[in-house]
Amino acid sequence: MVDYAVRNLNNHVRQVNQLNVFPVPDGDTGTNMVTTIHKGLMAVGDSIIDLPSVSKKFARSVVFEARGNSGVIVSQFLKGMAEQFYDTDVADGKRFIEALEKGVQYAYASVGTPVEGTMLTVVKDATAAVKAEFDGTQSVSQIIDSFISHAKRSLENTPELLQALKDAGVVDSGGAGIVYLFEGMKKYLDGESLDNVETAPLQLPPAVDYDAFDRDSTFRYGYCTELLLQLLNNRNRFDISAFREDLSAMGDSLVVSAEDDKVRVHIHTHYPEKIFACCHQYGEFLSCKIENMTVQHTGITNRILCSQNKNTGAFAIVAVARDPYLQKLFLDMGADVSICCEGNISTKDYLDAFEMSPCRNILVFPNSSDMILSAMQAKKLCQNAKVTVINSRSVAECYAALPTVDFEQTDIEKASDAITEIINKPGYVNVDFKDVKAMMTDSGMALMGCGKGE
């Protein structure tokens, strides 16, 4: 069931990453959740003998493999659930609801200052609702069905609870990840074959561009600091409440969890050295990680390039590209700004691109059905420009339309209508070439290979 859950989330990881604006808009919520659960599941391997043994192994491994704020919280939620199956060979409806409750308890307990409007709220609301509905007869499958329904309702309400989400016009990314996880569980319980559950490659974290931060950069977001601590008998006596209180004064987004004599810590701080000094009083480090979150965020915005040609038209064009080659091609063909979405693209990316546009009338080519929603959200949030989103669903449509654009057209609605007419005309195919950049047929139509995909 967990295998189906993580694969279903993995197939929607781009959408989840696009929603990521809190606590830092670094576009990695879905990736961290997938990586955490996948690695925890890998540690179980083929050792499934009975429910208690696999539950114990998974609970332990998913905590130790937790990555990022979202990964740590979801690991605690799943650990709490798994613990309810330590002493039973059968998970019935009553036991499953008790597992959900314990998962919520563990998730909230792991966070120094719980914030409503996040994944925490979604699991809490959905669990409370299914418990209230339970009359002793519902199966696990029926409970999960109801959980998904209530989780979606809670997710839709998250912007009303968290201003950062409302300002960005998005729902909570972690909460969306929870919905995809449980939808994957339901697919398993409904008896869908493995062939019907996509097995997209695991979305691992993208490479970091360290040149994105230089001596003139402003250090804004602090460090994402994570560690796994082995407690020692010859060090200070460990009290998790006092420990959490000490760390909470040194940063935010604090998540602390303990498994036997090992402690997992996640915190956003400007002073990681203070975190390590505090932890060192109690034991030695099994692993540790410090990431400059300003580098992560700047690396996202640095994917946006502007044309070197001076715009003399009545409007500007922002085009999304699948890779750097297409990004340069679209700029050469007349786009003023192009966003490269090798990893993911968020509402914030679009807003940054709008700021870099030379005109305050902007036409946007999302070039993928996955990118249209965040473009519409950015349009809604943009205060200083008139933005029109073209319903372009592929790079081929953008490629066909750009040469026909009349930049002298002063009526942006007429320009948009003309482009829409063009993109609705051509037929195109997807070509699975890994190396080919462009092939021209005798008729002059370009078939562009964009890595693995269109």
Side-chain angles (χ1 to χ4, degrees):
M1 191 167 72
V2 175
D3 177 43
Y4 268 61
V6 73
R7 278 196 277 162
N8 192 62
L9 173 58
N10 186 50
N11 290 329
H12 296 89
V13 71
R14 176 175 295 192
Q15 294 96 310
V16 175
N17 285 342
Q18 287 172 3
L19 297 170
N20 183 198
V21 297
F22 179 85
V24 177
D26 48 6
D28 63 359
T29 293
T31 302
N32 286 339
M33 292 177 72
V34 167
T35 304
T36 295
I37 303 170
H38 177 74
K39 288 188 174 182
L41 192 61
M42 291 289 287
V44 175
D46 297 326
S47 62
I48 300 177
I49 301 172
D50 52 44
L51 184 56
S53 63
V54 72
S55 297
K56 290 174 183 178
K57 195 160 189 177
F58 177 73
R60 183 176 179 84
S61 61
V62 75
V63 169
F64 291 158
E65 297 293 351
R67 176 189 173 87
N69 193 57
S70 56
V72 174
I73 294 174
V74 77
S75 75
Q76 286 297 302
F77 175 66
L78 293 174
K79 175 180 182 285
M81 287 191 67
E83 284 193 4
Q84 286 301 104
F85 308 126
Y86 281 9
D87 61 352
T88 180
D89 289 325
V90 179
D92 58 10
K94 180 175 182 295
R95 181 62 68 103
F96 193 79
I97 288 179
E98 291 171 349
L100 289 171
E101 289 185 295
K102 193 161 188 178
V104 171
Q105 175 189 335
Y106 274 40
Y108 268 87
S110 69
V111 179
T113 306
V115 176
E116 298 300 336
T118 63
M119 161 190 337
L120 293 171
T121 305
V122 173
V123 295
K124 178 189 69 176
D125 289 352
T127 298
V130 296
K131 182 181 180 182
E133 294 173 351
F134 187 65
D135 61 9
T137 64
Q138 292 95 328
S139 67
V140 171
S141 182
Q142 290 172 323
I143 291 169
I144 290 180
D145 238 349
S146 178
F147 184 96
I148 293 169
S149 176
H150 291 294
K152 287 180 177 178
R153 198 167 299 134
S154 177
L155 179 64
E156 291 172 2
N157 190 53
T158 53
E160 301 304 317
L161 301 176
L162 190 55
Q163 190 64 39
L165 301 178
K166 195 167 189 176
D167 291 343
V170 297
V171 295
D172 179 63
S173 55
I178 289 293
V179 171
Y180 287 127
L181 281 174
F182 276 80
E183 286 180 340
M185 294 181 189
K186 188 63 171 59
K187 288 179 180 180
Y188 171 76
L189 293 176
D190 284 347
E192 291 192 23
S193 69
L194 289 174
D195 293 339
N196 293 331
V197 179
E198 296 181 23
T199 54
L202 182 67
Q203 298 293 314
L204 297 176
V208 177
D209 178 12
Y210 294 107
D211 290 333
F213 193 87
D214 57 32
R215 63 180 65 195
D216 296 317
S217 298
T218 300
F219 185 64
R220 179 180 176 185
Y221 293 108
Y223 298 98
C224 178
T225 304
E226 296 181 354
L227 59 92
L228 182 61
L229 181 69
Q230 172 62 63
L231 302 178
L232 297 177
N233 291 329
N234 59 359
R235 300 289 176 87
N236 291 354
R237 186 180 68 84
F238 182 77
D239 178 275
I240 192 168
S241 298
F243 179 71
R244 185 180 284 118
E245 184 176 348
D246 289 343
L247 291 183
S248 65
M250 304 178 194
D252 52 30
S253 297
L254 173 65
V255 184
V256 177
S257 61
E259 177 72 14
D260 298 330
D261 56 356
K262 294 178 175 61
V263 181
R264 167 72 71 178
V265 175
H266 170 282
I267 188 170
H268 293 172
T269 179
H270 280 66
Y271 306 102
E273 66 277 11
K274 293 183 179 180
I275 304 299
F276 285 100
C278 177
C279 294
H280 221 175
Q281 303 173 68
Y282 304 101
E284 294 293 344
F285 306 109
L286 297 177
S287 66
C288 54
K289 175 181 72 69
I290 304 174
E291 291 180 346
N292 184 324
M293 293 187 293
T294 306
V295 170
Q296 293 174 311
H297 185 257
T298 305
I300 293 173
T301 57
N302 278 359
R303 297 199 307 257
I304 305 171
L305 296 180
C306 293
S307 172
Q308 299 301 310
N309 300 321
K310 186 176 181 181
N311 183 303
T312 58
F315 56 86
I317 287 181
V318 173
V320 175
R322 292 277 186 172
D323 61 21
Y325 172 81
L326 283 175
Q327 185 179 37
K328 183 178 184 301
L329 180 64
F330 287 158
L331 292 174
D332 291 342
M333 294 177 69
D336 298 279
V337 183
S338 184
I339 311 171
C340 183
C341 64
E342 290 178 284
N344 55 75
I345 184 171
S346 67
T347 301
K348 180 66 165 59
D349 295 332
Y350 278 116
L351 291 172
D352 289 338
F354 298 164
E355 287 297 319
M356 298 165 69
S357 298
C359 302
R360 293 299 85 193
N361 280 327
I362 302 171
L363 288 176
V364 182
F365 285 83
N367 297 335
S368 168
S369 56
D370 290 341
M371 307 296 181
I372 292 175
L373 177 60
S374 50
M376 295 300 295
Q377 290 166 344
K379 171 186 175 179
K380 180 180 176 182
L381 291 173
C382 187
Q383 302 294 321
N384 58 355
K386 181 177 181 181
V387 177
T388 301
V389 178
I390 304 295
N391 190 34
S392 59
R393 293 151 297 176
S394 75
V395 293
E397 292 177 349
C398 181
Y399 186 86
L402 281 177
T404 71
V405 174
D406 180 7
F407 287 94
E408 300 305 317
Q409 172 63 261
T410 57
D411 188 330
I412 195 168
E413 291 185 6
K414 288 184 178 180
S416 173
D417 290 342
I419 292 171
T420 300
E421 185 178 351
I422 292 294
I423 67 174
N424 287 336
K425 283 182 178 179
Y428 60 91
V429 297
N430 288 342
V431 184
D432 188 18
F433 288 116
K434 293 185 179 180
D435 301 317
V436 175
K437 292 301 183 184
M439 296 195 321
M440 300 302 295
T441 68
D442 291 339
S443 63
M445 178 180 287
L447 304 179
M448 295 169 293
C450 313
K452 299 178 181 176
E454 296 179 45

